[in-house]
Amino acid sequence: MTDGRTNGAIATARLGADGPEVGVQGLGCMGMSFAYGPSDAAESRATLERALELGVTLYDTAHAYGAGENERFLSPFFKAHRDEVVVATKFGLAIDPDDPTKRIIRNDAAHIRESVEGSLRRLDVDVIDLYYMHRRDVSVPIEETVGVMADLVREGKVKQLGLSEVTAAELRTAHAVHPVAALQSEWSLFSRDIEANVVPTARELGVALVAYSPLGRGFLTGSFAKAEDLTADDFRRQQPRFTGDNAEANAALLTPIREVAAAHGATLGQIALAWVHQQSAMHGLPVIPIPGTRKPGRVEENTAATRIVLGEEDMTLLEPIAAKVAGDRYADMRFTSAGRE
């Protein structure tokens, strides 16, 4: 992390050795058109603009988010602010149209090339600033996948490469083919499996860690307590942590977060985000959480968390939480780094 500021607001961090400086907190845009139930387009657009005013410059999307709908939705915003934003999108993951609980993973050259052209078209940009492999297809050697991604850089279609949910060994192999600027993985008070191997490897290689779901998909904010609280089309209903006895057990784990929040005059979400931001100093690498929201007020709340410093007593209270979480973060963990470590 640097002492720099974007737009006079939040501090900045660099993506990889040669990547861009971005606001130390990004914005996950998936929920604006996919996965989290109904959204208001006008409010989402206002959220994008407010985020930029506050210094958020890394905007995260993917082809998988509504079969390209999220990319199309973001396109006018990116076009209006092209020189101010870092556009991040992904290939390699699709939702089975016949069964939304199933995923289709592809990392082959033909798919990558088809995907990048589709994303460039939907986003209406000349180049993608950060292009991620969304999930790992173990049937394709990662050297081959990253080799094709490197070709996209040489062809001027992509500036920086990213990976998502890869193991430490996969990251090391990929980085040897072409420098990886950013590794995106789930990291929060509820999900800390990457700390054992992935984070130390990213630090060694100079790769920034982009933390998705830093608010535990909203659970850490206290906005819902169980799957039944969510709309019928919300994909969190499929996640084991939010169902049945798991949900009840996990709701009880918010108690120490509430204690810390009260001591700081902060919200639960701000403490959860402050904890993720603090991992940068603790682990010695850039950490850029990308909380998702569709409300301008939430962006203001989230970015304010970058200014909260948790003390030793706070960290001690929060430390045991992850080990007590009931249920996996996905029903099928094969496509996560933890499922292959």
Side-chain angles (χ1 to χ4, degrees):
M1 185 167 145
T2 75
D3 291 328
R5 301 279 160 173
T6 60
N7 295 338
I10 61 175
T12 64
R14 185 174 296 281
L15 297 177
D18 301 313
E21 290 271 339
V22 297
V24 76
Q25 188 175 119
L27 181 64
C29 301
M30 178 179 75
M32 293 180 178
S33 51
F34 176 71
Y36 290 155
S39 64
D40 182 284
E43 190 169 45
S44 292
R45 292 189 190 98
T47 300
L48 294 167
E49 296 288 349
R50 185 62 180 134
L52 187 58
E53 291 172 356
L54 293 167
V56 174
T57 55
L58 177 63
Y59 292 82
D60 186 88
T61 183
H63 171 237
Y65 302 158
E69 277 304 308
N70 198 238
E71 291 178 321
R72 281 186 282 267
F73 174 78
L74 294 169
S75 175
F77 171 74
F78 292 153
K79 193 168 186 178
H81 301 286
R82 190 65 190 95
D83 295 336
E84 303 170 81
V85 301
V86 173
V87 177
T89 192
K90 315 178 193 74
F91 73 87
L93 171 65
I95 307 300
D96 187 333
D98 297 323
D99 184 351
T101 67
K102 292 184 178 179
R103 298 175 169 209
I104 300 168
I105 313 293
R106 286 184 61 184
N107 291 173
D108 57 281
H111 174 75
I112 296 170
R113 290 200 165 275
E114 180 183 4
S115 294
V116 74
E117 295 299 338
S119 287
L120 286 166
R121 183 177 62 254
R122 288 184 295 271
L123 292 165
D124 194 18
V125 296
D126 295 327
V127 61
I128 294 167
D129 299 315
L130 176 60
Y131 201 42
Y132 287 103
M133 179 188 78
H134 204 162
R135 289 293 186 272
R136 170 94 166 91
D137 177 359
V138 296
S139 70
V140 180
I142 198 165
E143 300 95 324
E144 292 184 15
T145 299
V146 178
V148 177
M149 296 171 72
D151 288 340
L152 300 181
V153 175
R154 286 187 283 270
E155 294 164 14
K157 296 177 179 178
V158 169
K159 289 184 179 180
Q160 303 288 334
L161 302 187
L163 302 173
S164 181
E165 289 286 359
V166 296
T167 67
E170 289 165 348
L171 175 60
R172 192 179 298 280
T173 299
H175 195 75
V177 176
H178 187 282
V180 176
L183 170 61
Q184 186 173 141
S185 286
E186 187 165 351
W187 200 2
S188 73
L189 282 167
F190 265 26
S191 301
R192 298 180 57 182
D193 49 75
I194 63 170
E195 293 175 25
N197 300 306
V198 174
V199 170
T201 301
R203 179 182 64 238
E204 176 192 337
L205 299 176
V207 177
L209 204 299
V210 176
Y212 78 81
S213 296
L215 296 173
R217 302 196 183 276
F219 195 85
L220 290 167
T221 70
S223 61
F224 73 100
K226 58 186 183 302
E228 290 75 15
D229 296 338
L230 305 167
T231 58
D233 58 347
D234 194 307
F235 95 118
R236 289 172 291 184
R237 281 176 166 264
Q238 305 164 16
Q239 296 185 299
R241 290 183 172 176
F242 309 138
T243 59
D245 293 341
N246 288 347
E248 184 176 354
N250 292 334
L253 299 178
L254 301 186
T255 298
I257 307 176
R258 288 193 174 92
E259 292 179 22
V260 175
H264 284 267
T267 66
L268 296 180
Q270 286 177 322
I271 296 305
L273 282 172
W275 181 89
V276 176
H277 281 292
Q278 214 141 319
Q279 302 312 302
S280 178
M282 294 187 68
H283 292 274
L285 80 169
V287 177
I288 302 147
I290 51 169
T293 185
R294 301 173 288 198
K295 299 179 183 297
R298 289 295 185 200
V299 168
E300 295 168 359
E301 176 185 324
N302 292 346
T303 53
T306 66
R307 297 183 285 275
I308 296 174
V309 178
L310 301 177
E312 185 177 345
E313 185 175 339
D314 300 324
M315 297 299 279
T316 298
L317 275 172
L318 300 173
E319 178 64 26
I321 292 174
K324 299 177 181 178
V325 173
D328 287 330
R329 48 196 176 98
Y330 291 104
D332 187 345
M333 289 289 286
R334 290 177 300 165
F335 305 118
T336 68
S337 59
R340 296 190 307 278
E341 283 282 7

